[in-house]
Amino acid sequence: MKITQVNLYHLGMRLRQPFETSSEYIDVRECILVEAFTGDIVGYGECVAARDPGYSYETVPTAWHILKDFLVPAILNQEIEDIRNFAERMNFVRGHPMAKAGLEMAVWDLQGKIQNRSLSELLGGVRKRVDVGVSVGIQNSPQKLLSAVEDYLAQGYRRVKIKIKPGRDVVETETVRRAYPNLRLQVDANSAYTLEMASMLAPLDDLNLLLIEQPLWDDDLWDHRLIQKQFRTPICLDESILSVRHARHALEMESCRVIN
């Protein structure tokens, strides 16, 4: 396929309620919508870089710059053989995976529409339906957290991830677990703890959680290995995994048992 035109749109969507993690507080979610054309067919992608660099070094302005000045010119009016060929053309830009992913999603969408196949089919998916999970931000109290979880469960969500940070972790998780003993429950720290603070999370190991996500530094693999040795609960790495190579390193080092 040949990408004949790419449009970028900077969107700001006010959330129905603020979303708080250990690293940021969001009431307006910003992102970049990528619109790509091949002839009369249009594909859409989303660059999920946020306004602030709390989760990642990528932000809306930096992603806009990388897309506009480097990534889009590298493929515009060029013949793209397949997704692998597209990815190879992006290799000249170091890092910036969110910017690359936003454009890649639009290319996947185009490919699916050209072949009249869903993304699931293109990726070799075999299931028609999957249970949807929801991420619940830090609330003002354990009771408000429980109320938020109850509301999401009433909407049909079957897996819940609650955000935690020092001082807002064990009591909150215990409150939800007592109310829902069989809930598929997990927690996400977004790098809020140090190795020396890890003992604070020890009570979570008795709450039958699916996983504890990214407790330590966003660039760490080794110390997560030490944490995983102390916990029966699987450690999940997110921020630390920026490539297939990082994933291989983490699994070979036994730094985690789950990757987000």
Side-chain angles (χ1 to χ4, degrees), residues 70-109:
F70 297 98
L71 300 182
V72 171
I75 66 166
L76 200 59
N77 294 313
Q78 302 293 316
E79 195 65 35
I80 305 296
E81 299 172 11
D82 51 31
I83 293 296
R84 185 179 296 276
N85 177 246
F86 166 85
E88 290 171 351
R89 292 169 183 261
M90 300 294 101
N91 286 339
F92 76 100
V93 173
R94 184 170 297 185
H96 300 280
M98 292 181 180
K100 292 176 181 177
L103 186 56
E104 181 180 322
M105 282 186 233
V107 175
W108 275 109
D109 193 23

Side-chain angles (χ1 to χ4, degrees), residues 14-102:
R14 183 164 297 280
L15 301 180
R16 296 176 63 184
Q17 55 185 344
F19 187 77
E20 180 180 355
T21 73
S22 63
S23 59
E24 56 188 350
Y25 179 94
I26 303 170
D27 55 2
V28 175
R29 181 179 179 276
E30 297 188 21
C31 68
I32 299 173
L33 179 68
V34 180
E35 183 181 51
F37 293 83
T38 179
D40 295 331
I41 304 174
V42 57
Y44 293 96
E46 178 188 7
C47 173
V48 298
R51 178 188 61 194
D52 304 320
Y55 169 79
S56 165
Y57 67 84
E58 289 187 87
T59 63
V60 168
T62 63
W64 186 281
H65 164 54
I66 294 298
L67 283 162
K68 174 178 176 293
D69 296 328
F70 297 98
L71 300 182
V72 171
I75 66 166
L76 200 59
N77 294 313
Q78 302 293 316
E79 195 65 35
I80 305 296
E81 299 172 11
D82 51 31
I83 293 296
R84 185 179 296 276
N85 177 246
F86 166 85
E88 290 171 351
R89 292 169 183 261
M90 300 294 101
N91 286 339
F92 76 100
V93 173
R94 184 170 297 185
H96 300 280
M98 292 181 180
K100 292 176 181 177

Side-chain angles (χ1 to χ4, degrees), residues 76-191:
L76 200 59
N77 294 313
Q78 302 293 316
E79 195 65 35
I80 305 296
E81 299 172 11
D82 51 31
I83 293 296
R84 185 179 296 276
N85 177 246
F86 166 85
E88 290 171 351
R89 292 169 183 261
M90 300 294 101
N91 286 339
F92 76 100
V93 173
R94 184 170 297 185
H96 300 280
M98 292 181 180
K100 292 176 181 177
L103 186 56
E104 181 180 322
M105 282 186 233
V107 175
W108 275 109
D109 193 23
L110 285 173
Q111 183 170 318
K113 288 172 178 174
I114 291 171
Q115 299 181 21
N116 195 30
R117 300 171 67 196
S118 70
L119 179 59
S120 173
E121 292 170 332
L122 292 175
L123 294 174
V126 296
R127 299 177 63 180
K128 295 299 182 183
R129 298 177 65 86
V130 295
D131 289 337
V132 177
V134 63
S135 183
V136 185
I138 295 172
Q139 305 293 312
N140 292 333
S141 69
Q143 291 69 33
K144 288 191 175 181
L145 172 63
L146 182 59
S147 177
V149 169
E150 290 172 344
D151 181 57
Y152 282 120
L153 292 177
Q155 295 178 45
Y157 291 96
R158 291 295 173 260
R159 175 175 50 83
V160 172
K161 174 166 74 174
I162 61 176
K163 298 290 186 176
I164 61 172
K165 65 179 181 179
R168 306 299 300 277
D169 40 32
V170 174
V171 173
E172 281 76 3
T173 310
E174 287 177 339
T175 299
V176 175
R177 176 51 82 209
R178 281 196 302 269
Y180 297 100
N182 299 316
L183 175 63
R184 298 173 64 196
L185 182 64
Q186 58 197 81
V187 298
D188 184 5
N190 291 112
S191 306

